[in-house]
């Protein structure tokens, strides 16, 4: 009988220890995962990051590169549908609700590929463009935002001079394509 009580006590202690360990692991995981919520950020007097929730899964429009950066442009389903219908190339405007994100990385040379190729290394920033003619009438319906990324801290920050007008001056040269530089690449 004493053995049965001893075994029950051991089981209870073991179960309590497992429960405490579980609570500690959950608490530690919550604390470790409680990094920055990028969707709370906003460019001063401009676009919030939250307007682009899910951009990581949007379809690719095209890629580009400069000497310093590799870039991929992705668009939300509304803008992709407009591209596929010929928007920008046919002189028709993109509909309100169209959104595009340009994701930029510093490149590095691949050490694994059997040929010379540059691949993304550190994320540099994300550049967002949104069409809403009612909210942004002074920029032909378009608003712009840049969020810089800091790899050591794993955090985004609004580009300090970013406003809803920051990209419009540059995009006026493609007014005939509804202020969007990037064409939808042939597939």
């Amino acid at each position: 009988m004493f053995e049965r009580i001893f075994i029950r006590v051991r089981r209870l202690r073991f179960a309590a220890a497992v429960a405490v360990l579980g609570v500690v692991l959950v608490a530690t995981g919550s604390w470790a995962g409680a990094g920055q919520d990028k969707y709370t950020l906003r460019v001063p007097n401009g676009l919030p990051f939250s307007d682009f929730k899910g951009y990581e899964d949007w379809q690719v429009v095209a890629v580009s590169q400069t000497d310093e950066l590799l870039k991929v442009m992705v668009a939300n389903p509304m803008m992709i549908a407009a591209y596929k219908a010929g928007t920008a190339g046919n002189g028709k405007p993109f509909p309100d609700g169209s959104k595009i994100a340009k994701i930029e990385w510093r490149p590095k040379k691949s050490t694994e590929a059997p040929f010379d190729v540059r691949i993304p290394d550190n994320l540099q920033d994300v550049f967002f463009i949104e069409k809403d003619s009612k909210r942004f009438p002074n920029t032909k319906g378009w608003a712009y935002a840049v969020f810089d990324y800091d790899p050591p801290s794993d955090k985004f920050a609004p580009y300090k001079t970013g406003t809803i007008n920051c990209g419009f001056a540059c995009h006026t040269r493609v007014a005939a394509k509804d202020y969007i530089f990037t064409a939808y690449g042939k597939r």
Side-chain angles (χ1 to χ4, degrees):
M1 171 124 160
F2 181 70
E3 282 182 33
R4 284 188 199 165
I5 293 173
F6 180 72
I7 290 173
R8 281 188 195 165
V9 168
R10 275 182 64 182
R11 284 184 185 160
L12 286 174
R13 283 184 181 167
F14 179 75
V18 168
V20 167
L21 179 61
V23 169
V24 168
L25 289 175
V26 167
T28 303
S30 297
W31 175 73
Q36 178 190 42
D37 179 3
K38 63 187 175 187
Y39 293 109
T40 62
L41 299 175
R42 172 185 286 274
V43 169
N45 303 314
L47 291 175
F49 209 121
S50 61
D51 278 9
F52 296 85
K53 195 162 197 155
Y55 76 94
E56 303 91 342
D57 298 320
W58 291 351
Q59 186 174 334
V60 171
V61 174
V63 297
S64 65
Q65 71 177 42
T66 64
D67 290 338
E68 296 85 27
L69 296 170
L70 297 176
K71 307 172 183 201
V72 64
M73 278 62 70
V74 296
N76 70 348
M78 179 180 286
M79 192 160 185
I80 292 293
Y83 267 123
K84 288 181 176 181
T87 298
N90 63 9
K92 292 183 180 178
F94 286 96
D96 281 358
S98 293
K99 298 176 185 179
I100 194 165
K102 179 171 48 176
I103 308 163
E104 301 182 320
W105 294 271
R106 295 272 177 207
K108 68 179 182 180
K109 184 178 177 187
S110 173
T111 58
E112 298 169 336
F115 46 85
D116 188 23
V117 63
R118 293 171 12 147
I119 58 174
D121 189 13
N122 290 323
L123 180 62
Q124 173 74 22
D125 57 45
V126 291
F127 186 100
F128 295 137
I129 307 173
E130 179 176 358
K131 176 100 182 246
D132 187 328
S133 299
K134 290 179 180 72
R135 283 172 57 198
F136 315 112
N138 296 334
T139 53
K140 307 296 184 189
W142 292 101
Y144 308 83
V146 178
F147 294 89
D148 292 327
Y149 180 72
D150 179 50
S153 70
D154 189 29
K155 292 184 178 182
F156 285 92
Y159 187 69
K160 290 174 181 42
T161 61
T163 66
I164 61 167
N165 299 323
C166 78
F168 184 67
C170 185
H171 284 249
T172 57
R173 66 181 62 207
V174 286
K177 294 168 39 178
D178 197 19
Y179 303 91
I180 296 294
F181 283 105
T182 306
Y184 187 74
K186 180 82 173 153
R187 326 264 141 145

